[in-house]
Amino acid sequence: MEKFSRNSRVVAITKILSENPNKVVSLNVFSELLNAAKSTVSEDIVIVRQILEKLSLGKVQTISGAAGGIKFIPNIGEVEKQNFAEELCQKLMNKERIIPGNFVYMMDVMYSPEFIKLAGLILTTFFTEKQIDYVVTVETKGIPLAYEVARNMGVELVIVRRDNKVTEGSTVTINYVTGVNGSIQTMYLPKRAIKKKSQCLYIDDFMRSGGTAVGIRDLLKEFESDLLGMAVLIDDLTVSEKLVEGYHSIIDFNGVLNGEAKFTPS
Amino acid sequence: MEKFSRNSRVVAITKILSENPNKVVSLNVFSELLNAAKSTVSEDIVIVRQILEKLSLGKVQTISGAAGGIKFIPNIGEVEKQNFAEELCQKLMNKERIIPGNFVYMMDVMYSPEFIKLAGLILTTFFTEKQIDYVVTVETKGIPLAYEVARNMGVELVIVRRDNKVTEGSTVTINYVTGVNGSIQTMYLPKRAIKKKSQCLYIDDFMRSGGTAVGIRDLLKEFESDLLGMAVLIDDLTVSEKLVEGYHSIIDFNGVLNGEAKFTPS
């Protein structure tokens, strides 16, 4: 079987690690794929680790023990974070985005892999030290973002529905009060969607009063599970009384005045 | 400014390329980041290209001209495709997945980054030769899969809604007939979601009769846009009369008999 040069091996290792964030990959995987001794692969990994850390592209952790291996933890530099937030604000402040009722059109941004990849990466960095079992969101606009965070954290995504579906089996239903206009809404989640005693993150596109976040926390209680953290892409500062605290956001929405929307980095 | 070794440079190039599939990255980006001459970077890229192709991890294309650079086209080997389809069938045939009404619970799979990453990659490989502007899906279950395909193809995702939202501006609405029970459903898409004369792919989790696919095609006509291709994770073969043809799928659903679901690779 063919032998590969170190240059080739580090390329393959980098590719596989970066596509399996927060998953422990055994050294055997690389050793077999690349037909190289584990000691050789270990040296390759040192090279990969050093350059990724130096360029703030992520960390490579060594996990010892029988189920051990290496794990890639995605990262993004502080300058890139700041630039992303500023660019996003600029993009959303385009006057053509204002729609009747003083809403800001942002579906394109919420569904754009180009933006959501980076936004998801930034939100992930807030939780790298936490042990998480699930990333939870409510349909629909926050799904791509929550999916990115789940992907980066190497855990499952759970999508709470606003309608009950016959194809999902028995369901836990909760009613919650939206903070903004006090209307009652309902959320549905199949009983088998979350294992008991799980630790969850709530990720969404937009935080108004936080009524949905409270609903999610209550829903998770029904699964005997905890909400360990929350993060959104945009925090709506026009709603000053929030029902939750301690959440993260990337940019703030400061309202629409004279046909102009104002956004600032959080 | 620091110089990097070739080993380090190929790691950085691989990382950046694999996170920006189907996006043209200028050689200047690498040249500046790595403080290396373009000719040096070009040699690095040859190394990256060779090993990624050899291991069926993707292709690196050179785009010449003023807006030129290099582009990474994701790929997956035939054996890995086959293994994925077989493992997915096994997983879905677990008896505990059967829920009342002879439905099969598969929300966990549809939202699992571990599965959807690979499923999205496989579906992407069917369309690598096509020039696509948007990947289109209908909320909710197919969103993670469609997002992965859009991410791999370097294009925007468009999510068609089943309800009209005031926050999205003027909307194009179409009614369509579901093939299975002939009921009338409605789909909504904001006018500004798709530019005229666009070429689109429709991606979804599950294909029954194809009524939704016909609805999407009609909806795209309202945007003077074309549906160039369709792909789903699961083709439901219990519905034999399909309203569309020429779509791709990864596995087939052959029905539930005596409390056991049957799935086979497509």
Side-chain angles (χ1 to χ4, degrees), chain B residues 93-95 98 102 256-261:
Chain B
M93 285 195 282
N94 184 331
K95 284 186 180 178
I98 305 288
N102 274 350
V256 176
L257 191 66
N258 301 327
E260 288 191 48

Side-chain angles (χ1 to χ4, degrees), chain A residues 2 7 16 33 59 97-98 116 149-150 198 216 246:
Chain A
E2 191 180 356
N7 285 328
I16 290 165
L33 179 72
K59 284 189 203 310
R97 291 184 169 272
I98 306 287
I116 292 304
V149 176
S198 293
I216 292 283

Side-chain angles (χ1 to χ4, degrees), chain A residues 4-244:
Chain A
F4 295 99
S5 68
R6 167 145 288 156
N7 285 328
S8 296
R9 292 195 309 265
V10 294
V11 166
I13 292 169
T14 304
K15 181 69 172 51
I16 290 165
L17 281 182
S18 72
E19 293 197 345
N20 293 285
N22 273 297
K23 291 280 181 195
V24 179
V25 184
S26 156
L27 287 194
N28 289 328
V29 168
F30 300 116
S31 178
E32 281 166 25
L33 179 72
L34 301 168
N35 188 26
K38 277 210 227 177
S39 56
T40 310
V41 170
S42 292
E43 290 165 24
D44 296 339
I45 288 166
V46 171
I47 294 169
V48 174
R49 173 185 291 132
Q50 281 172 348
I51 181 74
L52 292 182
E53 285 217 17
K54 181 160 280 179
L55 299 175
S56 297
L57 293 172
K59 284 189 203 310
V60 179
Q61 255 182 15
T62 303
I63 314 289
S64 49
I70 54 170
K71 194 167 85 166
F72 172 67
I73 298 162
N75 194 21
I76 176 171
E78 286 305 318
V79 175
E80 286 77 16
K81 274 190 199 181
Q82 197 60 37
N83 289 347
F84 173 79
E86 280 162 17
E87 274 170 37
L88 186 57
C89 290
Q90 284 308 316
K91 190 174 172 77
L92 291 177
M93 285 195 281
N94 183 332
K95 283 186 181 179
E96 291 176 5
R97 291 184 169 272
I98 306 287
I99 49 185
N102 274 349
F103 294 106
V104 181
Y105 182 81
M106 32 192 159
M107 208 183 89
D108 56 334
V109 169
M110 293 304 174
Y111 302 160
S112 159
E114 195 177 336
F115 283 92
I116 292 304
K117 249 187 312 195
L118 280 171
L121 181 53
I122 293 171
L123 295 189
T124 303
T125 62
F126 293 122
F127 304 108
T128 34
E129 301 304 316
K130 297 219 155 130
Q131 282 298 323
I132 296 294
D133 302 301
Y134 299 97
V135 169
V136 181
T137 194
V138 184
E139 59 184 349
T140 297
K141 278 204 196 121
I143 296 176
L145 183 62
Y147 176 78
E148 275 289 347
V149 176
R151 197 181 196 273
N152 283 332
M153 302 201 74
V155 302
E156 302 299 300
L157 170 67
V158 169
I159 302 175
V160 176
R161 310 283 301 234
R162 299 205 180 271
D163 299 302
N164 198 12
K165 303 284 165 188
V166 292
T167 55
E168 292 175 358
S170 3
T171 301
V172 175
T173 303
I174 69 148
N175 298 309
Y176 67 101
V177 180
T178 64
V180 180
N181 56 18
S183 70
I184 307 260
Q185 303 241 358
T186 310
M187 294 200 276
Y188 304 85
L189 192 62
K191 269 197 179 160
R192 48 178 106 192
I194 293 184
K195 291 197 185 82
K196 282 184 184 175
K197 315 282 180 208
S198 293
Q199 318 241 288
C200 305
L201 287 184
Y202 164 54
I203 302 289
D204 218 334
D205 58 331
F206 206 80
M207 170 82 76
R208 263 168 293 261
S209 64
T212 307
V214 172
I216 292 283
R217 196 167 55 200
D218 291 346
L219 183 63
L220 290 177
K221 275 188 203 143
E222 298 292 325
F223 289 84
E224 297 172 34
S225 292
D226 290 324
L227 185 59
L228 280 206
M230 290 177 266
V232 294
L233 179 52
I234 305 176
D235 189 11
D236 181 355
L237 295 189
T238 67
V239 180
S240 52
E241 298 230 347
K242 302 283 185 183
L243 302 172
V244 289

Side-chain angles (χ1 to χ4, degrees), chain B residues 239-254:
Chain B
V239 180
S240 53
E241 298 230 347
K242 303 282 186 183
L243 301 171
V244 288
E245 53 185 24
Y247 59 91
H248 300 274
S249 62
I250 299 179
I251 64 172
D252 296 333
F253 173 54
N254 308 289

